Amino acid sequence: MNSRTDWDSWHADYSDPSSLLSERLRLVQRHIGDWLDARAPDPVTVLSSCAGDGRDLLGVLEGRNDASRVTATLIEADTRNAQRARDLIARLDLPDIDVRCTDAGTGRAYLGAAPADLVLLCGIFGNIADEDVHRTIAATPQLCNRQARVIWTRHRQEPDLTPRIRNWFREHGFEEERFDAPDHAIYSVGVHRFVGVPQPLATEQQLFTFIT
């Protein structure tokens, strides 16, 4: 992963409900909840890359009475965040949700977890090089079932990469369903639907390396 950031401390901003990070989280959670509602009552699979402590997905499932229909894999390299996710999963009694403490930037990390019906790429694109963003998007069809949803985040600091990110998704078989970019903040949240043909997972590929 080669990250210089202490990702355990980084998550402390989530404890402030007025922070922009918490606001972005609530927006991601709303999109996850809407997607689960639309897919009810079918069983679904979820894949979360660089999942942190899993609060985007687990925070939604905590308030639902149909959480047991979700099978998920959370991939997170930080051992402290991964353990917090495992602890919450145990408290919620969700045995079909697995946490892999490994580098999500490698193709082998997704073996047996992809393809999925919902793919979460949150907190990644702002911490890797532009070419790695493109490479990851180009590989996302390997992570998706037909008609899968992808939810992603990225800041809009200049130079704003989000127009190119949205185009890259279109070029690789996705249709945009939502793009939220509030005027009062620099974060953005995108939702895309995969309309292309799923691809086999290339386990030896390097998708991205964190640079922050």
Side-chain angles (χ1 to χ4, degrees):
M1 189 173 179
N2 298 326
S3 175
R4 299 188 299 271
T5 299
D6 183 340
W7 292 106
D8 181 66
S9 299
W10 182 89
H11 280 75
D13 274 353
Y14 281 125
S15 63
D16 178 5
S18 66
S19 71
L20 292 177
L21 190 61
S22 291
E23 180 181 293
R24 189 191 75 178
L25 171 64
R26 290 190 293 271
L27 181 55
V28 170
Q29 289 176 328
R30 185 160 68 247
H31 287 315
I32 294 172
D34 289 346
W35 176 80
L36 285 170
D37 289 343
R39 290 293 302 265
D42 297 337
V44 293
T45 55
V46 180
L47 175 58
S48 181
S49 182
C50 297
D53 57 12
R55 68 182 69 198
D56 47 7
L57 176 64
L58 299 177
V60 175
L61 297 182
E62 188 171 12
R64 298 183 67 98
N65 59 14
D66 62 347
S68 61
R69 68 187 174 94
V70 177
T71 299
T73 302
L74 314 181
I75 301 175
E76 170 58 37
D78 186 273
T79 56
R80 296 159 297 178
N81 281 320
Q83 188 57 51
R84 278 201 295 272
R86 291 189 180 107
D87 291 344
L88 180 53
I89 289 165
R91 289 199 300 273
L92 297 177
D93 190 22
L94 296 173
D96 292 326
I97 299 183
D98 180 42
V99 179
R100 295 184 179 180
C101 191
T102 190
D103 182 3
T106 65
R108 69 181 67 89
Y110 302 91
L111 187 62
D117 301 316
L118 174 66
V119 177
L120 303 177
L121 301 175
C122 300
I124 300 175
F125 292 165
N127 298 292
I128 62 178
D130 293 359
E131 56 267 29
D132 279 4
V133 176
H134 190 190
R135 183 181 300 109
T136 300
I137 293 171
T140 301
Q142 301 174 30
L143 309 180
C144 293
N145 281 323
R146 293 182 184 274
Q147 300 296 310
R149 297 305 190 276
V150 174
I151 301 175
W152 57 273
T153 63
R154 162 75 190 207
H155 65 73
R156 290 176 287 121
Q157 291 176 340
E158 293 297 335
D160 183 3
L161 191 66
T162 60
R164 296 175 67 188
I165 289 174
R166 297 164 74 185
N167 282 329
W168 288 335
F169 271 109
R170 281 190 285 268
E171 290 171 359
H172 291 284
F174 293 84
E175 288 185 354
E176 185 172 278
E177 294 197 328
R178 288 291 301 267
F179 179 70
D180 298 299
D183 292 337
H184 67 276
I186 62 168
Y187 73 78
S188 63
V189 178
V191 181
H192 280 75
R193 179 168 60 95
F194 183 51
V195 295
V197 178
Q199 300 175 6
L201 179 67
T203 58
E204 298 307 311
Q205 66 188 324
Q206 182 72 32
L207 300 175
F208 58 81
T209 301
F210 270 42
I211 58 175
T212 61

